[in-house]
Amino acid sequence: MPAARESLLDAACTALARRAWSAVRMVDVAAAAGVSRQTLYNEFGSKDGLARSLVRRETDTYLAGADRALREGGLPAAAEWTVLRARGNVLVRALLTGCWGEHLPAPTLAAVPSTSAVPAQRRADGPLPSPARLVTLVRDRAVAVLAPAEATPGERSELARECEVALRLALSCVLAPAGEGGTAALVREAVGV
């Protein structure tokens, strides 16, 4: 039932854009997705399960976009993607900054026990990444994409440092927008790429 799952996550995301998570009702999410409330509970188990799955999906979407940006435009493009995605999606912003407002779901980052037999639900029950873990994930992906095959461990280490600086600079631009030239130009100047 992947189509129903995506419809439910889309409906939850739309509901979250309109009101605080505490005011989002499961019956309304199910109705907006065109499925029964029982289908929603079968898929996610609870409102917390829905929240964890929604956060997991937004994390996966962010990481896939960062990978694409790295392949297509290198580190400056990945930094720009980070800023654009965080500004355009409150869940991604919260994931990257750790600033979970009252209006957002605040699922625990640690793994939670699950009794669900649904494989996707068990995956959502796994640990969610902290902001530091997300930076590490993107940094390591950047090194894997950008490091030449013949790079020495020292060169890889230096590239990892540059990637982390670029990502942390991008996160600062989420909170205080970059001036003329934008985030990509700031990253190019700061790390010399």
Side-chain angles (χ1 to χ4, degrees):
M1 188 183 268
R5 182 177 185 79
E6 284 303 309
S7 293
L8 286 163
L9 290 170
D10 289 343
C13 198
T14 299
L16 180 59
R18 294 182 181 150
R19 58 179 105 42
W21 184 251
S22 60
V24 172
R25 298 178 340 144
M26 297 290 272
V27 67
D28 296 333
V29 171
V35 300
S36 70
R37 189 172 65 174
Q38 187 60 50
T39 299
L40 173 59
Y41 279 100
N42 288 345
E43 194 64 33
F44 300 104
S46 65
K47 188 173 180 183
D48 187 56
L50 174 61
R52 290 182 67 80
S53 294
L54 185 58
V55 169
R56 173 65 65 193
R57 181 180 78 163
E58 297 309 315
T59 301
D60 292 345
T61 300
Y62 164 71
L63 289 172
D67 286 346
R68 187 175 48 257
L70 283 164
R71 286 190 309 276
E72 295 173 1
L75 202 47
E80 192 72 39
W81 164 255
T82 295
V83 172
L84 292 173
R85 190 69 182 163
R87 284 191 189 148
N89 186 305
V90 293
L91 290 176
V92 173
R93 183 181 179 123
L95 279 162
L96 289 167
T97 64
C99 298
W100 294 88
E102 291 178 15
H103 66 288
L104 296 175
T108 59
L109 296 179
V112 295
S114 175
T115 57
S116 174
V118 178
Q121 174 63 26
R122 281 196 301 271
R123 180 172 174 269
D125 288 341
L128 297 171
S130 66
R133 179 70 183 133
L134 270 177
V135 168
T136 300
L137 285 169
V138 176
R139 180 202 66 202
D140 292 349
R141 289 167 182 231
V143 170
V145 168
L146 301 174
E150 67 279 357
T152 66
E155 291 168 333
R156 285 183 175 275
S157 178
E158 178 61 20
L159 179 58
R161 187 195 63 74
E162 289 174 359
C163 291
E164 185 155 342
V165 166
L167 291 166
R168 292 185 180 281
L169 186 56
L171 291 177
S172 75
C173 292
V174 169
L175 301 174
E180 192 173 316
T183 304
L186 193 59
V187 165
R188 280 189 206 94
E189 183 179 322
V191 297
V193 294

